[in-house]
Amino acid sequence: MSGFRLARGGLIDRSRPLSFRFDGRSLSGFAGDTLASALIANGVSTVGRSFKLHRPRGILGAGAEEPNALVELRSGDRREPNVKATVAELYDGLDASSQNRWPSLRFDLLAVNGLLKPVFAAGFYYKTFMWPAAFWEKVYEPLIRRAAGLGRASGLPDPDRYERVFAACDLLVVGGGPAGLMATLTAGRAGADVILVDEDHRPGGRLLADGVSAGGMDGPALAAQLVGEIRSLPNVRVLSRTTAAAAFDHGTFIAVERVADHLPLPQPEMPRQRVWEIVAERTVLATGASERPLVFADNDRPGVMLAGGVSQYVNRHAVSPGRRVVVATATDAGWATARDLVRAGVNVAAVVDARGSAPRGFEDVAAEVAVFPAARVDRTLGRGKVEAVAIAQAGGTVEVPADLVAVSGGFNPAIQLISHFGVRPTWEPAIGGFVIGGPVHGIHPAGAAAGRYDLAACLADGARAAVAALSEIGRTAAMPDLPSIEPGPHAAGTAFWKPGTLRPGRAFVDLQHDVTAADVDLAHREGYVSVEHLKRYTTLGMATDQGRTSNVDGLAIMAALRGLPIADAGVTLSRPPVVPLSIGAVAGARTGHHFRPTRLTPIHAWAEEQGAVFVDTGQWKRPQYFPRPGETSWLDTVNREVMAVRSGVGVTDVSTLGKIEIHGPDAAAFLDRVYANRPSRIPVGRSRYALMLREDGFVMDDGTVARFAEDRFAASVSTAHAAAVWRHMLFCQQVLWPDLDVSLAAVTDVWAQFAIAGPKSARVVAALVDDGDPVSRESFGPMTARELTVCGGISARLAAVSFSGERAFELAVPASAGDAVVRRIMRAGDEHGIVAYGTEAMAVMRIEKGHPAGAELNGQTTAHDLGFAKMLARDKDHVGRVLSQRPALNDPARPRLVGLKPVDPSTPLKGGAHVLPAGAAATADNDQGWVTSSAYSPTLASHIALALVTRGPERHGEVVQVWDGIRGSVVQATIAAPCHLDPEGERLHAG
Amino acid sequence: MRITCPHCGPRDLIEFTVLGEARTRPAVAVEDLDSPAAVDAFAAYVYDRANPAGIHREHWFHGFGCQTWLVVTRDTLNHAVLAVADVREERP
Ligand SMILES: [Zn+2]
């Protein structure tokens, strides 16, 4: 193939030359070129090497179906592999490289793979895996990784922005060719909300590529007229450079808009790509059809090109991909290409038609070229590219010199989007292709996508589909006047490879995955005859082009080998996406810290001022510890914070705790059904520990419930379970017991909440409370809960609740007052040496006290396991009541909560380590439980842990091994009660 | 996929959380809560799922909307949503 720029014509702007580079060579093209058309204009014929066999490959087509011409575009952190040169718009400074060649496109050392063909035959992946493992790892995998790659990813962070947007419409039209434009216009004139998505930058589809005329206009003029009116309609949105990539239930489509791919760099604030999620009441699928290549020996040689692609290059881009052309066709479209070439002044050496005679309507072409009826191309000849074509017909084979073979083996309607619903198309012999008969899931195929290839039929069909689709949603649209067009010749036949005609040389079916007719034959001989097996065994159609140019040829060959009609051999479905999507587009803006929302508590700014180190707890940022100058490790800090609380007073932020208000005449009855104990017995002004089960009897969450009035409660639930408990409580209210008169409100973010803990905490709290409300041991003992005001009229809730085991209070104030109140707390506590403490110190103190938390409330533990069996009220129904009593959930042999203390107090116990009997081997049979939480206790000057251990409560005092196979340690430890400190709870009553 | 919430109108799937088949919690008298029949009834309620190929009544929660539990009647064969109701209004 030796392409060149035509002197005239085309939709290019010859006043805007663009320079670009391909494999380091400086070349030039014009605005309106694709990378492929510009390469053709510069006479470049070989643009890459094939995937497995490293054979030189040229450009096959001119659109999104391209299997061969994949390049790496741009460089550095913007390098993008596997870009189709046929759809990449040329821009000034474009830099592209060929892929899959080493060390260079011309001298590819791995072309030796071509000599290893038996290794890469059908079933290669499966057969190779059966070889010795070492051989695979040391020899084959490295070789294959080098040999069988597609392009290279940049390996660097993507510097560009991506967006995701949502849209809804009455009618989505996919495809901006003649059928799509007419559908859009018809629906737009009727006032419907229409979105037209078109993958090209310029709407028109084949109107821009085929040498058609309609009503005295050529194709581009007709397209311009239709687009002009469409753009004048305010109810129509046209999305160019946009591909509908996937279809989902209920009219939902994903489309990707290539906003800046045609620019050297995105403009400031411009996303590179934008993903549209479009919900459409109805859809017209006007996605056209892909042309099928012909399968013959050495049909992959650069210079073999789809006829429709040749027409597009000639008519739209004003380049001819060859100087002397053989057209090999089974369709009238091939003849139209021959006519386009003749009109452009390109020498057409022959038209080879698999059918019996030249079709009517092309007498002008037949008069100027040699015609070979009832003939086929046997093979191509040439070194590195096509130099001659061997044509076989009844009388024998003749060789015709040529540098371009334009092939047309029929058309495949582009019905991938409907295929996403699992809808199988049917074979339509009249057009030699698979079609979807009528509307499915609200999607109406129209035009070439429905197997109608004539321009007049496409225009009419687009209008008809829009009228039909709108009528289904109760809208009326009128059929437009259509341009007067002579119905043209448009017969589309088939010409599949016939078994028994195998020649030396390789006849390729799937060019991107290097699957040949011989591979299909081998799969047949080895018994992989179902189309699904054929696909997986040979990898036919499994490349990034999803087999658009190969699937039907492959299954037609299999059908012939099996002696079946194509209709009976089956057809594979395609999955989304229709075209490869960049990972960046899928992620959209959700990268880095935008991956999920960040929730900050009302006193975050104060904690930052205090130098807090924060930890992520779900979406929350919580202060983990507050380091001070001179502290050399986090452990120094945490030890100081713990000792300060245990000996004086500390304050920590517990705003993240889930908070739910329960209000109404039946509030107490409701809580008795939600919780396993009896919140109804909580007196007004008190709070109580409360345990929540799932219906299967396992523990869901724990927390406290405070009662502020007969009919008004506030539940505190753990940070991690806040959303799930809220959803569960609403389920109880709305689904299980809708007859109870109770209202719920989620108020987690409404309150800023602090724990003020330590023997001096009551003195700090007393200084905050207005009107001298006493908080003495007598007036405000443990579990008291009251609404009052603090700091001069700030409404507050105060509860004497302790997680640390010390005399402690939880103070909640409106979120807006949180920052001011925490500063008042610090000032009031100054004389008592108050410290701010974080989640680490809180965790140390709760482990010292043996309170279960996240690692123990893991969804697999029962009240019995955690030592809470006595809390279960059996004289009422509640969620989990019946199934919690099952014997297996109360089996003493279950892993149950205990404390662990290392025999040597300085040896750490590590979370996740296994508990084994003393002297037992570390086997699964001997495994008796695991460490759930561990800490260093500065109070006890010892490492300590909580664990779930088989028959744990019966084994206090026993020395066991704590085996950590991952970090490689075995520690001797003594089983004890979970509560390591102050088991009588005397500290609660201090101050 | 879209669900037409009776309170909020047609909304995208991402706003909802599905719980599973809409079943009815057994009603057992307090004195019978420890009976084998009660355990059987609750075990069936918690663990037995019909998993039909066809019409399925399901509980869905409109968490990014009106905070309502819904009964969604769906055809599992074609994902068609046949009916959506507030669970407090809907009675099978
Ligand atoms: Zn709703």
Side-chain angles (χ1 to χ4, degrees):
Chain A
M1 151 171 148
S2 38
F4 62 98
R5 179 74 67 186
L6 297 169
R8 291 183 309 280
L11 304 176
I12 53 169
D13 184 350
R14 292 173 199 258
S15 70
R16 286 180 57 207
L18 306 173
S19 63
F20 70 103
R21 292 165 72 81
F22 180 70
D23 280 348
R25 279 175 67 196
S26 290
L27 304 169
S28 71
F30 292 115
D33 264 326
T34 61
L35 174 57
S37 70
L39 287 169
I40 290 168
N42 284 275
V44 175
S45 60
T46 302
V47 296
R49 290 270 177 173
S50 72
F51 177 56
K52 281 189 289 197
L53 303 176
H54 284 240
R55 288 166 67 106
R57 290 284 166 81
I59 297 162
L60 182 73
E65 75 283 355
E66 178 63 32
N68 272 354
L70 309 183
V71 298
E72 285 176 358
L73 207 57
R74 299 184 168 89
S75 56
D77 54 5
R78 286 193 166 86
R79 186 173 72 202
E80 186 182 8
N82 305 331
V83 173
K84 293 172 190 125
T86 51
V87 296
E89 292 173 47
L90 197 66
Y91 56 82
D92 202 45
L94 179 146
D95 185 8
S97 335
S98 58
Q99 301 187 156
N100 212 22
R101 41 60 176 177
W102 179 65
S104 78
L105 186 55
R106 192 169 300 178
F107 302 103
D108 183 341
L109 294 178
L110 291 167
V112 71
N113 281 359
L115 306 174
L116 295 176
K117 169 65 179 163
V119 169
F120 287 96
F124 145 72
Y125 293 99
Y126 307 101
K127 289 168 181 166
T128 312
F129 275 116
M130 291 155 81
W131 297 347
F135 193 66
W136 173 260
E137 274 173 36
K138 294 200 172 80
V139 181
Y140 266 89
E141 192 183 341
L143 175 66
I144 290 164
R145 282 194 185 281
R146 171 132 248 168
L150 286 167
R152 305 162 300 161
S154 81
L156 298 168
D158 189 333
D160 290 324
R161 305 155 54 100
Y162 299 84
E163 288 182 351
R164 188 182 188 92
V165 290
F166 294 81
C169 58
D170 297 320
L171 188 70
L172 171 67
V173 179
V174 183
L181 290 178
M182 198 50 85
T184 305
L185 190 58
T186 303
R189 283 177 178 170
D193 283 327
V194 185
I195 295 176
L196 167 65
V197 301
D198 184 42
E199 60 188 356
D200 211 325
H201 67 95
R202 175 170 178 159
R206 294 303 300 182
L207 287 174
L208 310 181
D210 291 334
V212 294
S213 66
M217 286 181 283
D218 63 7
L222 175 57
Q225 188 192 63
L226 297 173
V227 172
E229 185 179 347
I230 286 168
R231 290 202 189 276
S232 76
L233 296 169
N235 49 317
V236 178
R237 180 170 5 209
V238 179
L239 297 175
S240 291
R241 297 189 175 98
T242 305
T243 303
F248 299 99
D249 292 313
H250 307 164
T252 304
F253 291 79
I254 293 293
V256 61
E257 180 183 7
R258 293 171 294 278
V259 181
D261 281 0
H262 62 295
L263 302 173
L265 284 177
Q267 290 160 11
E269 308 301 313
M270 179 189 265
R272 195 184 136 220
Q273 295 181 349
R274 182 181 286 137
V275 166
W276 290 79
E277 184 169 336
I278 301 170
V279 177
E281 294 295 329
R282 288 294 181 275
T283 299
V284 170
L285 189 73
T287 40
S290 332
E291 201 164 27
R292 286 195 293 265
L294 293 167
V295 179
F296 51 80
D298 296 322
N299 61 340
D300 67 327
R301 199 164 256 142
V304 176
M305 189 177 277
L306 293 170
V310 172
S311 283
Q312 177 172 328
Y313 288 123
V314 169
N315 294 324
R316 177 170 175 181
H317 302 293
V319 292
S320 175
R323 296 183 184 273
R324 188 175 158 82
V325 187
V326 168
V327 176
T329 188
T331 71
D332 291 3
W335 285 87
T337 297
R339 178 184 281 150
D340 292 336
L341 288 162
V342 169
R343 283 182 185 168
V346 179
N347 181 0
V348 177
V351 175
V352 181
D353 197 323
R355 301 169 299 178
S357 59
R360 276 186 300 170
F362 292 100
E363 292 77 9
D364 57 323
V365 181
E368 298 203 26
V369 305
V371 179
F372 292 79
R376 60 182 175 80
V377 170
D378 188 58
R379 62 179 307 173
T380 64
L381 302 134
R383 188 154 177 81
K385 57 185 181 178
V386 172
E387 289 167 356
V389 179
I391 299 169
Q393 56 179 0
T397 300
V398 294
E399 282 183 18
V400 177
D403 61 356
L404 178 69
V405 190
V407 295
S408 180
F411 291 93
N412 297 328
I415 46 177
Q416 288 88 352
L417 286 170
I418 294 186
S419 179
H420 293 173
F421 293 101
V423 176
R424 283 183 196 274
T426 52
W427 181 254
E428 178 52 56
I431 60 149
F434 283 97
V435 295
I436 299 285
V440 183
H441 291 273
I443 304 176
H444 295 244
R452 296 181 181 91
Y453 302 133
D454 175 61
L455 175 58
C458 282
L459 292 166
D461 203 37
R464 176 206 56 76
V467 170
L470 290 180
S471 79
E472 288 176 3
I473 54 171
R475 298 190 76 114
T476 307
M479 278 296 283
D481 292 332
L482 297 166
S484 70
I485 303 171
E486 285 283 300
H490 58 276
T494 60
F496 296 119
W497 182 81
K498 297 279 192 299
T501 59
L502 203 57
R503 291 278 179 276
R506 295 195 181 116
F508 284 85
V509 179
D510 184 334
L511 289 162
Q512 202 182 7
H513 258 173
D514 273 352
V515 178
T516 65
D519 290 324
V520 180
D521 186 58
L522 181 63
H524 175 252
R525 280 186 279 127
E526 295 190 354
Y528 296 94
V529 298
S530 123
V531 290
E532 299 290 347
H533 290 162
L534 169 67
K535 172 176 168 177
R536 285 158 185 82
Y537 194 60
T538 63
T539 73
L540 174 82
M542 291 174 72
T544 59
D545 66 348
Q546 294 198 327
R548 285 208 222 184
T549 55
S550 62
N551 279 340
V552 175
D553 274 302
L555 63 91
I557 293 169
M558 180 57 82
L561 290 166
R562 295 175 67 190
L564 294 173
I566 289 174
D568 296 347
V571 58
T572 56
L573 298 173
S574 61
R575 279 182 288 227
V578 170
V579 292
L581 297 184
S582 64
I583 298 290
V586 173
R590 296 183 303 257
T591 60
H593 74 276
H594 295 300
F595 180 66
R596 62 180 181 188
T598 301
R599 297 176 81 182
L600 302 180
T601 75
I603 60 161
H604 187 81
W606 169 82
E608 273 187 325
E609 284 170 28
Q610 301 294 310
V613 171
F614 292 91
V615 61
D616 288 344
T617 309
Q619 297 173 345
W620 291 104
K621 299 267 181 216
R622 301 187 70 183
Q624 191 175 14
Y625 51 94
F626 293 82
R628 284 187 181 171
E631 290 171 346
T632 56
S633 80
W634 66 269
L635 190 59
D636 287 351
T637 304
V638 172
N639 288 344
R640 171 183 55 76
E641 290 175 9
V642 170
M643 295 309 286
V645 172
R646 294 250 180 257
S647 63
V649 60
V651 61
T652 192
D653 182 4
V654 292
S655 301
T656 63
L657 290 172
K659 306 172 199 76
I660 299 169
E661 308 248 330
I662 304 98
H663 193 183
D666 293 327
F670 175 76
L671 290 174
D672 275 359
R673 298 189 193 185
V674 170
Y675 285 98
N677 47 335
R678 275 209 176 269
S680 64
R681 291 191 183 154
I682 302 171
V684 172
R686 308 287 287 179
S687 71
R688 192 169 289 177
Y689 182 79
L691 186 68
M692 188 180 287
L693 305 184
R694 297 191 309 239
E695 197 68 271
D696 64 4
F698 288 81
V699 173
M700 181 173 188
D701 193 47
D702 70 345
T704 59
V705 174
R707 189 173 204 169
F708 294 115
E710 277 301 317
D711 62 350
R712 199 155 53 80
F713 295 81
S716 174
V717 308
S718 59
T719 300
H721 296 159
V725 168
W726 167 244
R727 194 162 62 226
H728 171 70
M729 279 208 193
L730 290 178
F731 185 82
C732 294
Q733 178 208 24
Q734 297 174 16
V735 182
L736 300 185
W737 297 293
D739 298 334
L740 294 181
D741 187 354
V742 60
S743 299
L744 305 177
V747 295
T748 300
D749 298 274
V750 174
W751 298 95
Q753 193 160 318
F754 315 100
I756 303 160
K760 296 176 181 169
S761 60
R763 287 179 236 177
V764 177
V765 172
L768 301 169
V769 172
D770 294 339
D771 305 328
D773 249 335
V775 289
S776 68
R777 205 174 335 179
E778 296 72 29
S779 68
F780 214 105
M783 307 316 281
T784 304
R786 264 187 224 146
E787 291 174 304
L788 37 71
T789 62
V790 297
C791 304
I794 297 171
S795 59
R797 287 173 173 177
L798 182 65
V801 170
S802 177
F803 199 47
S804 57
E806 301 297 328
R807 173 74 158 145
F809 299 84
E810 283 189 2
L811 174 66
V813 297
S816 58
D819 185 78
V821 169
V822 72
R823 293 171 198 276
R824 290 287 294 272
I825 294 170
M826 293 302 282
R827 233 177 296 148
D830 195 40
E831 60 178 296
H832 308 293
I834 194 166
V835 300
Y837 67 99
T839 55
E840 284 297 328
M842 203 187 312
V844 169
M845 290 188 277
R846 74 100 188 163
I847 294 169
E848 289 175 337
K849 286 298 294 177
H851 294 315
E856 291 80 30
L857 304 175
N858 65 357
Q860 301 175 326
T861 48
T862 68
H864 169 81
D865 299 340
L866 300 174
F868 295 149
K870 285 191 188 132
M871 289 182 67
L872 304 183
R874 299 186 60 172
D875 56 345
K876 59 153 186 159
D877 188 15
H878 59 81
V879 174
R881 161 66 182 82
V882 170
L883 295 187
S884 67
Q885 296 299 325
R886 287 180 290 173
L889 272 61
N890 297 279
D891 185 343
R894 286 178 59 84
R896 300 176 67 192
L897 187 67
V898 293
L900 284 179
K901 246 183 131 164
V903 172
D904 171 1
S906 67
T907 314
L909 297 166
K910 290 176 180 170
H914 288 257
V915 175
L916 303 167
T923 65
D925 282 347
N926 290 334
D927 189 8
Q928 294 192 323
W930 64 95
V931 174
T932 52
S933 305
S934 66
Y936 175 74
S937 165
T939 322
L940 303 169
S942 173
H943 285 276
I944 57 170
L946 297 176
L948 291 163
V949 178
T950 295
R951 297 189 185 278
E954 304 163 25
R955 297 169 63 182
H956 292 177
E958 181 182 333
V959 175
V960 292
Q961 309 176 73
V962 178
W963 178 83
D964 185 341
I966 292 177
R967 287 157 292 199
S969 69
V970 183
V971 179
Q972 307 300 312
T974 309
I975 296 179
C979 182
H980 294 91
L981 180 72
D982 184 27
E984 306 305 323
E986 288 169 6
R987 287 166 173 259
L988 289 175
H989 302 279
Chain B
M1 180 168 164
R2 275 190 303 172
I3 292 174
T4 302
C5 173
H7 305 299
C8 310
R11 296 300 186 101
D12 192 84
L13 177 67
I14 58 172
E15 297 187 3
F16 299 87
T17 310
V18 66
L19 185 72
E21 183 181 350
R23 282 160 289 160
T24 304
R25 190 175 186 271
V28 179
V30 170
E31 57 273 21
D32 295 330
L33 286 171
D34 288 315
S35 68
V39 174
D40 288 349
F42 271 91
Y45 169 63
V46 170
Y47 297 112
D48 294 352
R49 286 163 174 80
N51 195 25
I55 308 298
H56 199 216
R57 290 178 68 251
E58 297 168 341
H59 280 136
W60 289 72
F61 179 61
H62 196 189
F64 287 90
C66 58
Q67 309 287 299
T68 298
W69 279 93
L70 306 170
V71 175
V72 175
T73 307
R74 238 164 39 88
D75 188 333
T76 61
L77 290 176
N78 60 17
H79 302 174
V81 174
L82 306 172
V84 186
D86 185 318
V87 71
R88 290 164 292 196
E89 313 288 322
E90 197 264 5
R91 286 290 175 267

